[in-house]
Amino acid sequence: MRVWVVLFALVAGLLAGCEDEPEGQKGPNTKPEPALAARFAPLVFLANGESHLPMDATEYARQSSLWFADARCDDVEVAGRVEPQKLGKGPDLYRSSRCTSVAVNDTDFPAEDTGFFLRPPESTRTGQGVGAPAYWEYHEHEGKAAYLYWFFYGYNKSVNVHEGDWERIAVQVQGGKPTAVTFYGHGRTPCALPWESQQLAKIDDHPQIYSAKGSHASYPDTANLSYDRRSAGTQWNTWERLLPVEQEPWFGYRGWWGPQSWIPFNGFNGPMGPYPQRGLNVFPEKQCDEKEPEITAQLPQAFEGEWETRDPATQKPESKPYHMRVSLAKDKSTVRYRTTWTDSNPKLACDGTWAATAATDKFVQMHEQIVTTSAGDCVPEGTVNLTPDGDALKVVVRGGRITMTAKLYKRTEPANEQAGALERFEEYLHAVGNENLDVVCEIAGPGAKKAEQKGFGPCRTTMPIMFKMFSPQQKAALRTATVDKSQVIEKPGVVEVPATAVRAGSVKFTSSNLGDYTMTLMNGKWFVTD
C-alpha cells in the first residue's frame, strides 16, 4: 500500500481515556493537599506478561525529537533532541515557523490536522518499571473536588499501536474523604464508581486498579474484554514516587506525546498529556455499571462490499495520483492500488490484505499487509481507519512516513461483468509471477480442488511445482501482465481467457506453457475454475 506515515500513529486505537471532554472542569486549582494526594493514590496492578512498563515522562521527552505536523505542508523537525523545559516551563519555548508560526504552549492552531508531536527512539518502548513516577493534580468544580492521577507509558501495543501513552483515573473527594473513582475506558465515555462499591477493592485508602496488557487502560477489576486483558501481575505503589504534575518541566506542552493519528471517533484519538487548564470530565454523571457496546474485531455488515475510489487518493508527502479498489468481507478483505486500471504498465501496482483489529458501527480500524508489488514503491504494512461519510467510506491509511486519505464508494460492476473477471485474472497472473502462493491458491481454489479430486495434489503442493516451470523472464513478465479483451470469450457468469490473450511485453505465452483458463463468478467473486 502506498500509505503514510506522517504518522500519526500515536493513537490509537483505542487509547483509553485519552480524549478530552467539554470544557468547564479544569485544574489544577489552588487547594491541593499533597498528603491527601498520596493517601488516595491508586495501587496499580500491571498485567501478567506486560512488556511495556511505566516510564518517567521527563526522561521520555528528553530522549525524543520534536516535530510539527501541518495540514498544509510536510512535517518538520523542530528539535533533534528535546530539552523538556522548552516544552512547557521555558524560557525559550520551542516554536514552529514553517507554514504556521506557533509555540508549543499556544492554545489555538489554524487547522485540525496541525500540532506538535514527539518522536521517541524505540528504546523507550520497554519503559522503566514500577520505580517510574506517577503524577497528580487537583480539580474542583461546582463544589466538587478530585485528585487526578496520571500514568505514563512509552508505548501502547494493543489493538492500536502507538508511541507515548497517557492514562488516568481520578478519586473524587468531599470533606477530605473519598466518594468515587472516575475511570476512562477504551472507546467509552468516562464513568464513576462509588467508593463503597463492592466492585472497587482497596488497600487502606488506595483503590486497586488493573492496567490492561499492552493498552494500559485502567479498570476496577480483572473481568476481561475482547481487546483489554488484565490481571493482578506486578504491583505498582504509585504513592511511593508521586509527583505534582504542575512542577514538571514540560507542564504547559499542548502537543502529542508520539506520532499522531486523526480518527474521528471518541476514544480513538491519541493522547495529549496533562497541561494547564485542560478540560477533563473528572465528575461524570454516568455510573460505570451502565452497559455500553463493546469494541470488537469483527467487520460490521454495513462496511461489507466492493468499494472503489472515484477521485485519486491524496497522499502526504505528495505522489503521483493513484486509485484504490477494496473488497471488504468478514472472512477476508483485500485492497488494490493502481495509478490506472486501463494502462498495461501502471506506475503503481500493489495488492494486499486488510484485517479488522477494532470496530464499532461507526468506525473500523484494520491492519494492512501488502502482499504483491508489481510496480512502484508501496509501504509494506500500515494502519487503516474507515468511517462512514454519507454514501461513502472515508479511509485514512498510514504506514512508514506516508499518510493517505481517500473516499470509497460502492462499486458497480459493468453489465457484462467482464472487467471484474479480467481484473481478478490479472491479479492471479501477477501472483504467479511473484510466486505468491496465498493469492494463487485463493483465486484458483475451485479449479485446484477439481484437480485434487482427479488425483493431483493440493494447491499448496502442486503450485510451487508450476512456479519452477516458468523461467525468470516469464515470471518477470507475468508480474505486470494484462489481458487483451478482444480475445476473451464471455458467457453468463463465465469468462474464458486463452493464453494468447495474455500481454506480457516481448514474452509470448501459449496453451502449452501457460494454459487456457476459465473464470467463473461464484458468490459474487471470480475464481479460476478450469
Side-chain angles (χ1 to χ4, degrees), residues 224-379:
N224 288 310
L225 301 175
S226 59
Y227 52 89
D228 269 341
R229 317 292 293 181
R230 57 256 193 202
S231 54
T234 302
Q235 181 173 320
W236 182 18
N237 299 332
T238 62
W239 59 91
E240 293 180 353
R241 192 181 174 197
L242 186 64
L243 305 179
V245 72
E246 62 181 352
Q247 295 182 18
E248 291 301 295
W250 43 261
F251 189 66
Y253 173 59
R254 291 175 177 264
W256 292 272
W257 286 73
Q260 173 72 17
S261 178
W262 313 94
I263 304 176
F265 189 73
N266 184 35
F268 286 82
N269 273 335
M272 292 181 175
Y275 57 76
Q277 299 301 305
R278 178 176 172 179
L280 300 167
N281 192 351
V282 180
F283 308 100
E285 295 182 1
K286 180 182 178 299
Q287 296 296 302
C288 289
D289 57 354
E290 295 178 15
K291 300 296 182 181
E292 288 191 25
E294 285 190 12
I295 300 165
T296 72
Q298 297 296 318
L299 183 74
Q301 186 174 358
F303 287 76
E304 294 182 24
E306 304 296 319
W307 303 80
E308 66 180 351
T309 53
R310 294 176 182 172
D311 299 311
T314 58
Q315 180 178 298
K316 183 180 177 183
E318 291 185 0
S319 71
K320 292 183 178 180
Y322 58 92
H323 285 270
M324 305 170 64
R325 283 181 178 169
V326 179
S327 176
L328 295 177
K330 278 188 170 62
D331 57 341
K332 184 177 182 181
S333 297
T334 59
V335 60
R336 307 182 74 199
Y337 295 94
R338 296 289 187 277
T339 45
T340 174
W341 302 109
T342 57
D343 189 348
S344 60
N345 294 300
K347 303 300 182 184
L348 176 72
C350 301
D351 301 333
T353 60
W354 286 0
T357 56
T360 70
D361 58 347
K362 297 179 181 179
F363 171 83
V364 175
Q365 183 179 74
M366 309 185 83
H367 178 263
E368 178 177 76
Q369 182 75 50
I370 294 301
V371 178
T372 301
T373 300
S374 304
D377 185 16
C378 296
V379 176

